[in-house]
Amino acid sequence: MSTPQTTATTPAPGHALKHLAVHLLTPLLMCLGMALAYQGAFHQPEPNHLKVAVVGSSAQARGLADAVRAKAGPALDVSTLPDRVAAERRLHDRDLVGAFLPDPRRPELLVAKAGSDTSAMAAEAVFQNVTDRQGVPLTVTDLAAPAKGDPTGQGLFFLLVALSIGSYASVAVIGAAGAALTMRIRALVGLAVSLVVSLIGIATAGPVFHVVDHDLAAVWALGWLYSAGVVAVGIGLHTFLRKWTTLVMMVLFVMLNFTTSGGVYRPDLQNGFFGTLHSVWTGAGFLEGARSLLYFDGGAGLGRHVLTLALWLLLGGLVMAGAALYERRGRPAPLATDAEAEEEMEGVVAV
């Protein structure tokens, strides 16, 4: 005699499909966001107020600068400088991408590829056209080459990616598995986690791969400040957003963060939206700050980049303070079940 089957535990197909659709919403939104962000930022790099200079005080130098300016329009910001010393100083301060020294036999372009190899290549293309019309070769002199362990200049960007993923993935764990803890304890855990993330980052970028070949302590400090800011923002947001925290963190610290950091293209090769965010976003603060430390003797706006990181950490502190007040007013962060915690962790996508 067969055992009668019950349908009490079997959800109706319509209910199951609705449940599935709700859970598919997050990855589909991630797909849309990544497509819009990455293709919007990187699909068509073109000079956008790329800062270059023609070196010389003669009428010929001024005429060349005027001709390049007239032909390029808003793609280039063309200035003139009196001599090579002034050009090298402006490049070291990162106020220029390239400085062209005209010469009938041996024209030369000064660049600083460690600041951005892609921007330096764009400047080289501009003045290569000039020398090709003259029928002479262009000599390119690099005043700030990347470290031997980072010949492409992309190593610091990949360090930023590692720090970011370690930070926002930790937020999912702290928020889901640590919701029973007070906000003070969660904040201390987040600070400790960001310390570990930054140590892993500098250990791999330094002794292992030699992307960072000096000033390890200073770059590590920037990494800790960056990671702590990301974790603080995430811990605070989790109280309000719960399962949507990962999606919002992806928007803030992947979609908008990586595209505006200057790791692939700096603002002078991007449209105005991403270029504007570069000046205020935390990933750019870390990446440009690390470049300033490693390749420009701690100048080139290092203080401004440190301030950017500090303001993001302050923002995270304010969000956590708001979350703590929200919880103290009788709205505690609800405890996540094991299934909910696993579901939230599955939403953490490494890019």
Side-chain angles (χ1 to χ4, degrees):
M1 182 176 181
S2 62
T3 303
Q5 296 183 351
T6 63
T7 59
T9 59
T10 303
H15 177 77
L17 285 172
K18 181 180 178 181
H19 181 74
L20 176 61
V22 170
H23 284 74
L24 282 173
L25 184 60
T26 295
L28 292 177
L29 287 174
M30 287 181 177
C31 177
L32 175 63
M34 293 295 291
L36 291 174
Y38 274 65
Q39 295 183 57
F42 300 147
H43 82 290
Q44 192 174 2
E46 293 179 338
N48 180 19
H49 295 284
L50 187 77
K51 293 183 178 180
V52 297
V54 176
V55 179
S57 55
S58 66
Q60 290 85 349
R62 291 194 298 271
L64 175 59
D66 290 340
V68 173
R69 185 183 300 113
K71 183 176 181 180
L76 302 178
D77 284 349
V78 186
S79 60
T80 56
L81 294 172
D83 52 39
R84 185 188 187 99
V85 173
E88 291 182 355
R89 182 172 62 250
R90 292 281 301 277
L91 283 164
H92 188 269
D93 291 339
R94 302 187 73 186
D95 290 334
L96 280 181
V97 174
F100 181 66
L101 286 76
D103 186 275
R105 295 182 179 179
R106 193 178 182 274
E108 183 180 9
L109 177 67
L110 306 179
V111 295
K113 292 185 177 180
S116 173
D117 184 60
T118 51
S119 294
M121 291 173 61
E124 182 177 347
V126 170
F127 291 103
Q128 185 73 61
N129 290 332
V130 174
T131 57
D132 284 348
R133 289 196 297 270
Q134 295 174 346
V136 292
L138 175 65
T139 299
V140 179
T141 301
D142 188 4
L143 302 181
K148 290 182 179 180
D150 185 21
T152 65
Q154 297 291 307
L156 287 176
F157 174 66
F158 296 131
L159 173 58
L160 170 67
V161 172
L163 293 174
S164 304
I165 292 174
S167 299
Y168 78 73
S170 298
V171 166
V173 175
I174 296 170
L181 303 172
T182 66
M183 181 57 70
R184 184 189 300 272
I185 295 178
R186 275 177 277 162
L188 291 174
V189 171
L191 185 64
V193 167
S194 66
L195 171 61
V196 175
V197 168
S198 65
L199 288 173
I200 293 173
I202 196 61
T204 54
V208 177
F209 295 113
H210 307 289
V211 171
V212 179
D213 56 4
H214 62 279
D215 286 314
L216 265 71
V219 176
W220 161 75
L222 287 179
W224 190 9
L225 187 57
Y226 168 76
S227 178
V230 174
V231 172
V233 170
I235 290 175
L237 287 178
H238 192 273
T239 295
F240 305 104
L241 302 179
R242 290 296 305 281
K243 68 179 182 179
W244 298 107
T245 305
T246 297
L247 177 60
V248 172
M249 293 291 285
M250 287 280 291
V251 172
L252 292 176
F253 301 114
V254 176
M255 298 175 192
L256 295 179
N257 199 33
F258 295 167
T259 54
T260 63
S261 67
V264 180
Y265 301 118
R266 294 195 76 249
D268 43 37
L269 290 178
Q270 295 184 299
N271 60 47
F273 173 75
F274 293 99
T276 299
L277 290 186
H278 177 86
S279 63
V280 297
W281 224 251
T282 183
F286 169 76
L287 185 62
E288 300 295 7
R291 283 172 171 167
S292 295
L293 276 170
L294 293 175
Y295 303 125
F296 299 95
D297 300 329
L302 175 60
R304 182 177 71 253
H305 303 314
V306 172
L307 177 61
T308 297
L309 294 174
L311 289 175
W312 274 86
L313 180 57
L314 175 61
L315 174 64
L318 292 174
V319 177
M320 285 195 298
L325 181 61
Y326 180 85
E327 293 173 9
R328 281 200 299 269
R329 287 182 173 178
R331 305 175 183 87
L335 297 178
T337 65
D338 289 342
E340 288 174 331
E342 291 178 5
E343 178 185 325
E344 190 162 352
M345 278 304 303
E346 287 173 358
V348 178
V349 180
V351 179

